[in-house]
Amino acid sequence: KRAGFYATGLPFFSADPLNGFGGGLSALLFYNGKPTDPFFAYTAYRAKWGVKLEYSTGSAAAVSLKMDVPYVANSAWRLKVDGKFESTPNNLYFGLTEDTLRPLPGGRYSRYADQLATVRAGALGEPPRVADNLKHYFLEREWMLNVKGERALGGNWRLLAGYEIQKLSYRTFDGGSVPATDPVTGSTVDVPNGTSLLRADAAAGRAFGLGGGRASLLQLSIMYDTRDFEPDPYRGVFLEFGQEHSARYTGSAFTFHKMLLQARGYVPLFPNHLKRTLLAVRGGVGTILGEQAPFFEFQDQWSAEGSIRALGGSQTLRGFKANRFLGRTVAFTNVELRHRFADF
C-alpha cells in the first residue's frame, strides 16, 4: 500500500443499446497517510477525491464529483460528499406496476420496436398519422448534492445518515418528427411521434412527478460489513438496511418513503490454485411507500454504497433494457464468477 498522495486516471469507452457509443475520463486522488498511522493497515485510504466526465453519441452527458474521508480526524466518523449533473435523453419507461412483467408484443424487443416504428392513425388529441418510435423514451436532467456522515459502531457495524437535494426536470418526445414505415407502401416517411406512455400515464393519474421539481431526502442506513477490502473485496459479507424519506418538511415537493434490504457475499474459489477467483453473490428487496410517489423514484433503490437501478440493465438484470420492470416492491439476485486475469 502506497504512503502519502497518489493519483489515478483512466479513460473509458462504452457501447450501450440506449445511449450509443460513449466515453469519458475518471480521475481519482488518494491520500493514504503514513505507515506509522494507526489506521494505515485498516483503511482503504484516509481520503479520496474523484471526478468523472462522460458523454455518448446519444447525447447523454454527466459530470460527477466525489469526496470520501474515512475516520475524520481519527474519530469514528466518515464524511462523504457527492455532486452530479446528468442529462440523459434515452431513459425508458414501461410502466410502474407488475404489468411490466407481461411479454412485449412480438416477444422480442427488436420486433416490438419495428411495430412501434410503423405509421398508424392518430388517436384523440394526436395528428392524423403518427408513429410510436419514442413511446417509451423520456429525457431527464438532474442536479444533485448529497452529504452523508457515517459512524463506526464497534465491531463490523456502521450507521450512516445523509441529506440529498435534487433539482429535476423531465420531457417526453410527443409530436417530434420520427422516421416510420408506411404499412401501405412499405416506404419510410417522417411523421410526428404519438403520445408517450409516460405522458399518457401522467394524464391518467397513474404516474406522478412528470413536471419535475425539487426532491430533498433524508437518508439512513445501518450496515454490517466484514469485507476485507471495500473497493475490491475478495472475501466477506455486506448487509444493509437503508431508508430514504422525502416530505414537505425536508424541503421536497414530493412525499414518499423508500426501504432497501440487501446482502452481498464474496467467497474465494480454490485460493491455493487460482489467484483472485471468487464467487460474488447479491440479493435485495426494496419497496416504496406513498400514494403519489413520483415515477422516477421507482427507477432505483437507494444504498449507502450507491443507488441500484431497478430491474433491467447492467446493474441488476443484464440482457434487458434498463428499467424494463418496475413496481412498488422489487426483488433481485445476482451471482457472478469473477477472475482477475492481470493487474498493473
Side-chain angles (χ1 to χ4, degrees):
K1 183 178 176 182
R2 294 189 191 183
F5 286 94
Y6 72 96
T8 67
L10 188 70
F12 61 87
F13 306 94
S14 64
D16 185 290
L18 293 178
N19 296 308
F21 293 96
L25 173 69
S26 181
L28 294 168
L29 175 66
F30 289 91
Y31 176 65
N32 279 345
K34 300 179 179 180
T36 55
D37 186 327
F39 289 85
F40 190 82
Y42 301 99
T43 59
Y45 44 81
R46 293 309 307 263
K48 177 180 74 172
W49 300 267
V51 59
K52 186 176 183 181
L53 311 173
E54 49 191 317
Y55 187 79
S56 78
T57 56
S59 300
V63 179
S64 303
L65 301 172
K66 293 179 178 291
M67 182 181 76
D68 183 10
V69 184
Y71 299 101
V72 177
N74 291 343
S75 72
W77 287 95
R78 180 177 190 170
L79 176 66
K80 295 181 178 181
V81 181
D82 298 281
K84 179 178 71 172
F85 168 74
E86 187 173 24
S87 177
T88 50
N90 306 304
N91 288 318
L92 289 175
Y93 174 86
F94 291 92
L96 298 177
T97 72
E98 62 183 6
D99 285 346
T100 56
L101 293 172
R102 295 177 179 174
L104 294 171
R108 298 179 61 86
Y109 188 87
S110 56
R111 298 192 190 103
Y112 179 51
D114 290 339
Q115 295 178 25
L116 295 177
T118 301
V119 177
R120 64 171 175 84
L124 183 65
E126 294 180 329
R129 282 162 48 91
V130 298
D132 294 310
N133 303 44
L134 304 177
K135 176 179 180 177
H136 296 284
Y137 285 79
F138 68 93
L139 178 146
E140 177 183 51
R141 286 197 174 98
E142 175 188 4
W143 293 87
M144 182 275 287
L145 176 65
N146 183 223
V147 180
K148 299 185 287 284
E150 181 183 298
R151 182 175 174 83
L153 301 179
N156 297 302
W157 291 94
R158 308 201 312 267
L159 182 68
L160 178 144
Y163 180 77
E164 179 172 303
I165 184 168
Q166 305 168 324
K167 181 66 171 65
L168 303 161
S169 61
Y170 297 93
R171 181 167 66 88
T172 57
F173 302 104
D174 316 61
S177 180
V178 293
T181 302
D182 189 312
V184 177
T185 65
S187 60
T188 299
V189 295
D190 290 335
V191 296
N193 195 72
T195 303
S196 70
L197 180 60
L198 177 56
R199 179 70 61 182
D201 279 2
R206 292 187 292 267
F208 302 93
L210 183 55
R214 184 176 65 250
S216 302
L217 310 104
L218 298 176
Q219 300 166 328
L220 182 67
S221 174
I222 185 166
M223 294 161 280
Y224 178 77
D225 190 358
T226 68
R227 293 172 298 179
D228 57 345
F229 188 54
E230 181 183 302
D232 184 20
Y234 182 54
R235 57 167 52 88
V237 298
F238 176 78
L239 309 176
E240 179 185 21
F241 180 48
Q243 301 187 66
E244 274 191 319
H245 184 72
S246 173
R248 300 290 179 180
Y249 66 82
T250 67
S252 180
F254 310 97
T255 299
F256 61 88
H257 189 88
K258 295 173 71 173
M259 294 180 285
L260 171 69
L261 182 64
Q262 69 159 326
R264 305 183 193 181
Y266 305 89
V267 181
L269 296 179
F270 313 110
N272 294 330
H273 304 282
L274 296 174
K275 184 180 179 181
R276 295 295 298 187
T277 302
L278 69 147
L279 191 68
V281 182
R282 180 183 69 171
V285 58
T287 192
I288 180 170
L289 308 174
E291 291 185 4
Q292 296 189 7
F295 77 95
F296 47 83
E297 290 296 336
F298 287 71
Q299 296 179 121
D300 73 334
Q301 298 293 330
W302 177 78
S303 165
E305 300 245 305
S307 292
I308 302 168
R309 301 297 289 182
L311 303 187
S314 61
Q315 280 193 317
T316 54
L317 200 59
R318 299 184 178 106
F320 287 88
K321 297 289 186 180
N323 294 332
R324 173 65 183 87
F325 309 105
L326 297 184
R328 282 194 174 272
T329 300
V330 297
F332 55 90
T333 185
N334 298 114
V335 179
E336 297 180 349
L337 177 65
R338 298 182 181 178
H339 176 74
R340 177 181 293 175
F341 292 92
D343 63 85
F344 59 92

